[in-house]
Amino acid sequence: MSVEIGLWGVAALGLLLVLRLPVALALIIVSFSGIWAMIGLKPAMGILQNTPYSFVASWTMSAVPMFLLMGFVAFHSGMTGGLFDAAKVLLARLPGGLAISSIFACSAFASVSGSSVATAAAMGRIAIPEMVRAGYRPSIAAGSIAAGGTIGALIPPSILMIIYGIIAETSVTKVFLGGLSIGILTAVSYAIVVLIISFARPDLIPRRAEVERGGGARVFVKLLPVSALVLLVFGGLFSGLFTATEAGAVGALGTIVIAALTGTLTRRAVSRALIETVTTTGSLLIIGIGATMFTRFLGLSGLQGFIGQAVAGADLSYVMLMLIIVAIYLILGTFMEPFGAMLITLPVFLPVLGAQDISLVWFGVLVVKLLEVGMITPPVGLNVFVIRNVAAAHVTTVQVFKGVVPFIIADIFVVALVIAVPALVLFLPGLL
């Protein structure tokens, strides 16, 4: 073991990421080089050859392409198209009602997509033009959707949570349940932000929006297919009828059957869904392979044990440890995408959490929440750039970043609540 080589490896990884080398490639290069330096070329080659299969062949990992397929088929077949209209029927007459409608529509879309980027892109195309026409300041309209998109990774099925459960070797179903409560809490906090702004600054958000009367029954009929899908997946998952892994396959099959029965399963929809599922799955798997190699490298170097002993020796309080972890994730979120940031840090943090007897289910939800805050923070807030692309006629990148500021403040309050009251996360998983 060589802690010094481990430290040099971490430093080299940081340098490669600053130089904008792809995360997966940086992880593989550092891990392979470090293992070669410690125990030789032949063992390094063996790990390079065996890790891809051992990671990809995981039974739990099969849930990733299945949930992605479910979301992409639902989106391209138009099953999710009525979510914003349904939310408007219920909420649009509230102060700032269109923005609140878009936030809760994002939450509903998240229940079939599992992706914050997909959620932001889908809702941004629909809701931002309508809010701008209703008199919303474009920056706030775009900011509410960019922030609302982050709920996509908190409400199950969340791809980030599946990957976390695999790496942390903890129950994905319990992490899902913990994320559900925090996803709802996040949506409510965003709605409160909109209400406050609408009363304090009616020039930014109109207190009331003109909405079409009637059509409510027609709108809710359009929601029946996606409601049936959510009931099928969540009902079976949380009742214990099938596992989180099996839920992915059930959800994918259910989406295809429902779309076929409603006549929306076109050849174009199937083709686009399959292509996007394959490309997204491939990018996630290669990052996961690199992260698995990095974990083995750190284990062989002894750096994980060294850090755990250092933390124990420092006698850090719970609050101090959490502040350090929060600061690290918020900093990483400013220049890294969520999967890379999570997979790089978990090999270091998990042994520390075990020594501190901190629930891995609770920590998984906290990590996902922190990573999603990074999706809207400058300079690389991915959701911000997604919204900029889908609403280029209405906003600039700077305007979107300005618009998300109030929602980032709400996120900080939610993170503080999660840390101060772990029961907010653990209550639902405790019912299993």
Side-chain angles (χ1 to χ4, degrees):
M1 291 194 299
S2 175
V3 172
E4 184 178 354
I5 292 178
L7 290 171
W8 277 111
V10 172
L13 178 62
L15 176 61
L16 292 176
L17 293 175
V18 169
L19 295 175
R20 308 302 297 167
L21 193 71
V23 174
L25 190 56
L27 286 167
I28 292 172
I29 289 173
V30 169
S31 304
F32 179 81
S33 302
I35 295 170
W36 184 359
M38 286 187 297
I39 57 178
L41 177 59
K42 189 172 182 179
M45 289 295 297
I47 290 175
L48 182 62
Q49 292 170 357
N50 296 329
T51 301
Y53 176 80
S54 63
F55 179 77
V56 174
S58 165
W59 167 242
T60 308
M61 185 59 68
S62 64
V64 173
M66 291 295 98
F67 276 125
L68 286 172
L69 181 61
M70 181 182 85
F72 286 131
V73 170
F75 174 64
H76 289 297
S77 64
M79 288 174 57
T80 57
L83 293 174
F84 181 57
D85 291 335
K88 282 195 301 179
V89 170
L90 296 173
L91 303 167
R93 289 179 176 82
L94 294 173
L98 286 179
I100 294 173
S101 299
S102 67
I103 289 167
F104 282 98
C106 285
S107 303
F109 187 88
S111 65
V112 295
S113 75
S115 165
S116 61
V117 171
T119 301
M123 289 299 113
R125 290 188 182 96
I126 301 169
I128 291 175
E130 187 162 344
M131 282 192 277
V132 172
R133 285 195 300 269
Y136 284 69
R137 183 72 61 86
S139 59
I140 292 294
S144 65
I145 301 295
T150 66
I151 301 171
L154 288 167
I155 291 182
S158 164
I159 305 302
L160 266 178
M161 289 180 177
I162 295 173
I163 300 295
Y164 173 85
I166 293 170
I167 300 298
E169 298 181 353
T170 191
S171 168
V172 174
T173 302
K174 288 186 176 182
V175 180
F176 274 178
L177 279 171
L180 181 62
S181 60
I182 302 307
I184 295 172
L185 178 61
T186 299
V188 171
S189 71
Y190 289 167
I192 292 172
V193 167
V194 171
L195 288 171
I196 292 172
I197 295 175
S198 69
F199 281 106
R201 292 289 304 275
D203 58 313
L204 300 180
I205 297 181
R207 292 190 181 181
R208 293 195 179 274
E210 293 295 329
V211 295
E212 297 178 4
R213 297 185 179 278
R218 175 180 53 80
V219 167
F220 285 110
V221 167
K222 290 173 61 178
L223 284 184
L224 289 178
V226 72
S227 300
L229 177 62
V230 172
L231 182 63
L232 170 68
V233 175
F234 284 8
L237 177 62
F238 297 145
S239 68
L241 186 61
F242 39 74
T243 66
T245 305
E246 294 163 343
V250 171
L253 178 61
T255 309
I256 293 170
V257 171
I258 292 171
L261 292 175
T262 56
T264 58
L265 191 68
T266 64
R267 180 177 298 179
R268 176 180 171 82
V270 172
S271 174
R272 294 184 66 178
L274 289 174
I275 290 172
E276 292 184 23
T277 298
V278 170
T279 55
T280 305
T281 301
S283 65
L284 295 180
L285 291 181
I286 191 65
I287 295 175
I289 290 167
T292 303
M293 289 186 62
F294 188 64
T295 301
R296 294 187 180 183
F297 162 61
L298 293 182
L300 289 170
S301 71
L303 184 60
Q304 291 172 314
F306 174 78
I307 293 174
Q309 293 173 2
V311 172
D315 196 25
L316 294 174
S317 67
Y318 169 77
V319 173
M320 184 60 66
L321 178 61
M322 288 301 107
L323 286 176
I324 292 172
I325 290 175
V326 167
I328 289 172
Y329 276 115
L330 290 181
I331 292 170
L332 288 176
T334 64
F335 66 91
M336 284 189 67
E337 51 85 29
F339 287 100
M342 181 176 74
L343 294 177
I344 286 171
T345 52
L346 286 183
V348 177
F349 287 150
L350 289 178
V352 174
L353 298 172
Q356 298 286 329
D357 197 29
I358 292 174
S359 168
L360 294 183
V361 171
W362 172 84
F363 185 71
V365 176
L366 175 65
V367 166
V368 171
K369 177 60 185 174
L370 290 171
L371 290 171
E372 290 307 294
V373 176
M375 295 287 281
I376 54 175
T377 53
V380 190
L382 188 55
N383 274 16
V384 170
F385 291 101
V386 169
I387 292 298
R388 170 65 178 83
N389 288 334
V390 301
H394 302 286
V395 290
T396 65
T397 303
V398 173
Q399 286 177 319
V400 184
F401 274 123
K402 287 181 178 179
V404 298
V405 170
F407 301 99
I408 293 175
I409 295 172
D411 280 332
I412 298 303
F413 277 105
V414 171
V415 169
L417 279 174
V418 170
I419 293 174
V421 190
L424 289 173
V425 174
L426 297 175
F427 173 73
L428 289 178
L431 297 179
L432 283 181

